[in-house]
Amino acid sequence: MFAKYYKIFNEEPKPFAFVDLDAFDVNFKTLKARCGNHQIRIATKSIRSVPMLERLRDYFGISRWMCFSLEEALWLSDLGFDNIMVAYPTLQKVWVEKLCEKLAAGKTIYLTADSPYQLQKLQDYGEEFGTVISISMDLDVSTKFPGVYFGVFRSSLHSINLAEKFIKFIKNSSHLSLKGVMAYDAQIAGVGDAIKGSHINHIIRFLKKRSIPQIAEKCHQVSNLISKNNIQLDFFNAGGTGSLEYVAGNSGVTELTFGSGLYHPTLFDAYSNFSGKPAAGFVVEVCRNPQQNIYTALGCGYIASGQTGVQKQPSIVFPENAQLFKNEGCGEVQTPFCTASEMNLDETNFAVFRHAKAGELCERFNELLLLSNGEIAGKAFTYRGEGKCFL
């Protein structure tokens, strides 16, 4: 897919990050189709560029957003975005006070919580600032197998009994209102099961197969619990890029979330249930040739978060069939690679890489070069380019 941008990549000052809008749009339509008739909430942390969020809003009609920090949500609210769910709890008074100001002005922003401790703090803030805070309950849907914890250590709401106590707490609170549920299946949405060369793919698929019905049952139980308590939710959220079709039919679920699949970074090449088009990457300069068929790129040590390993480093996609060196990998200031044939550095002065994750790429660049049909279609500031760094 990068061949049509050869001239641009050669002439544009490097390093730079890019988004292929044609691939981005195709990915959106593919992801939406996997959601069925559900509402869609976009995970902003996977995009980290306001113009790209505006594209989703203006071209595709997206009106629901999931932020990764309250500070980010407040900023986006200032820019005109609304119906924002903050997916990770925060109890910092400075931000909650600003949230209460937004709520009093009619903005729709939901705070995630999963424990009585968090609820009590938010109840106190709501009382102090004279505002009812809308709560999204973060339901743990990780799965425990003998000797294996299949999921992530995220929410403390592990059981229906705990969820019931959580709901009771909110019902008895004067400045809290339960408006949403989030049931994020990280072990399905965020774990590849078709990793090239991996000997545990079959194990991951087995665990996923066993986990999916248990997630559905917990969603069903919580949905019934919500109805039993005569609570009218604004949303019951579930899913991620890797699990949309699996959770779409779960009882009570009204909306699904995706984000990373729009850029389709390399980690999402390793899923058996869907495929996408690589839509984002970065280009670095190549001007060193230390040995025959060995070249050195300037920079590109943009390692993804999570458990470290070779899968978390960028992947070289041009020159074709180029390979990194295991003992160096992607370095802060240089990244050597070998090629099957010699490069003519007068004609080709660049290498193209894909990041392992989606939005994290934007933390390294101030802007994204937007490409379409072989041409430059514009530029878009990243969060970093607008002076924002939330986490």
Side-chain angles (χ1 to χ4, degrees):
M1 63 166 287
F2 302 119
K4 59 184 176 182
Y5 300 120
Y6 185 93
K7 183 177 181 181
I8 294 172
F9 289 168
N10 215 43
E11 295 179 353
E12 193 71 17
K14 303 163 193 63
F16 65 88
F18 67 89
V19 173
D20 184 321
L21 295 178
D22 303 329
F24 182 91
D25 291 353
V26 168
N27 287 339
F28 176 85
K29 294 172 183 176
T30 300
L31 290 161
K32 185 177 186 297
R34 293 171 58 208
C35 293
N37 295 323
H38 288 75
Q39 293 281 351
I40 294 171
R41 190 176 293 273
I42 293 293
T44 59
K45 78 175 184 66
S46 300
I47 308 300
R48 301 193 206 195
S49 168
V50 172
M52 296 305 297
L53 296 177
E54 291 173 338
R55 182 180 185 86
L56 290 165
R57 181 190 64 192
D58 299 340
Y59 290 173
F60 297 110
I62 295 298
S63 60
R64 301 178 181 217
W65 315 95
M66 177 188 286
C67 288
F68 64 138
S69 80
L70 178 52
E71 185 184 1
E72 179 203 14
L74 295 170
W75 178 59
L76 289 178
S77 179
D78 287 338
L79 297 177
F81 293 87
D82 200 18
N83 197 339
I84 302 171
M85 186 253 279
V86 182
Y88 302 87
T90 183
L91 300 175
Q92 296 185 69
K93 188 174 182 178
V94 61
W95 302 125
V96 178
E97 181 177 8
K98 292 182 183 298
L99 166 70
C100 290
E101 293 173 359
K102 292 284 188 183
L103 297 177
K107 284 286 190 174
T108 301
I109 303 175
Y110 308 90
L111 277 190
T112 293
D114 65 81
S115 74
Y117 168 74
Q118 297 162 357
L119 292 178
Q120 185 61 61
K121 294 286 288 186
L122 294 174
Q123 160 66 17
D124 293 343
Y125 288 146
E127 187 172 3
E128 179 178 352
F129 301 127
T131 306
V132 175
I133 298 175
S134 297
I135 299 297
S136 171
M137 178 172 69
D138 190 354
L139 178 67
D140 175 59
V141 291
S142 298
T143 310
K144 292 182 180 179
F145 298 112
V148 178
Y149 182 83
F150 194 48
V152 295
F153 295 106
R154 178 187 175 102
S155 169
S156 63
L157 294 176
H158 311 303
S159 68
I160 301 304
N161 288 338
L162 290 173
E164 190 168 18
K165 292 178 181 178
F166 185 91
I167 292 170
K168 184 177 180 180
F169 191 110
I170 293 178
K171 291 185 71 173
N172 292 331
S173 301
S174 57
H175 288 77
L176 300 178
S177 179
L178 182 61
K179 290 296 185 181
V181 173
M182 178 172 60
Y184 177 53
D185 53 298
Q187 71 273 33
I188 311 297
V191 179
D193 58 6
I195 302 171
K196 186 177 180 179
S198 174
H199 62 283
I200 64 168
N201 285 326
H202 66 288
I203 298 176
I204 298 298
R205 290 173 195 164
F206 173 78
L207 294 176
K208 283 187 176 185
K209 185 177 181 179
R210 291 285 303 277
S211 183
I212 288 169
Q214 294 188 38
I215 295 169
E217 177 59 23
K218 185 170 284 189
C219 287
H220 174 69
Q221 292 176 352
V222 170
S223 179
N224 286 344
L225 183 61
I226 297 292
S227 297
K228 178 182 175 181
N229 281 272
N230 298 313
I231 296 173
Q232 184 65 43
L233 297 178
D234 291 346
F235 63 85
F236 193 126
N237 180 277
T241 290
S243 67
L244 297 172
E245 58 271 81
Y246 296 134
V247 298
N250 288 355
S251 175
V253 171
T254 62
E255 66 172 33
L256 303 178
T257 295
F258 61 76
S260 295
L262 293 165
Y263 289 161
H264 197 80
T266 59
L267 286 180
F268 285 99
D269 292 343
Y271 284 74
S272 60
N273 57 308
F274 75 98
S275 61
K277 291 182 175 294
F282 63 93
V283 179
V284 293
E285 181 183 7
V286 176
C287 63
R288 303 181 77 177
N289 181 200
Q291 294 185 31
Q292 185 177 6
N293 289 7
I294 296 178
Y295 301 87
T296 305
L298 181 60
C300 88
Y302 312 143
I303 308 302
S305 62
Q307 186 182 34
T308 57
V310 68
Q311 286 182 303
K312 296 300 178 66
Q313 72 177 359
S315 298
I316 187 167
V317 294
F318 183 87
E320 294 182 3
N321 301 316
Q323 294 184 338
L324 302 179
F325 290 92
K326 291 183 179 179
N327 62 332
E328 290 200 47
C330 291
E332 178 189 10
V333 291
Q334 74 162 38
T335 299
F337 59 89
C338 62
T339 61
S341 58
E342 292 188 19
M343 294 177 63
N344 185 335
L345 297 181
D346 285 331
E347 296 179 359
T348 304
N349 62 10
F350 66 90
V352 183
F353 289 78
R354 292 170 61 205
H355 202 275
K357 288 194 172 182
E360 291 184 23
L361 172 65
C362 294
E363 297 297 336
R364 294 289 187 166
F365 295 90
N366 290 331
E367 62 183 18
L368 300 168
L369 189 67
L370 304 180
L371 306 173
S372 178
N373 197 29
E375 299 179 348
I376 297 176
K379 294 183 178 181
F381 279 125
T382 61
Y383 283 6
R384 167 178 161 157
E386 300 203 52
K388 301 297 180 181
C389 179
F390 299 108
L391 289 179

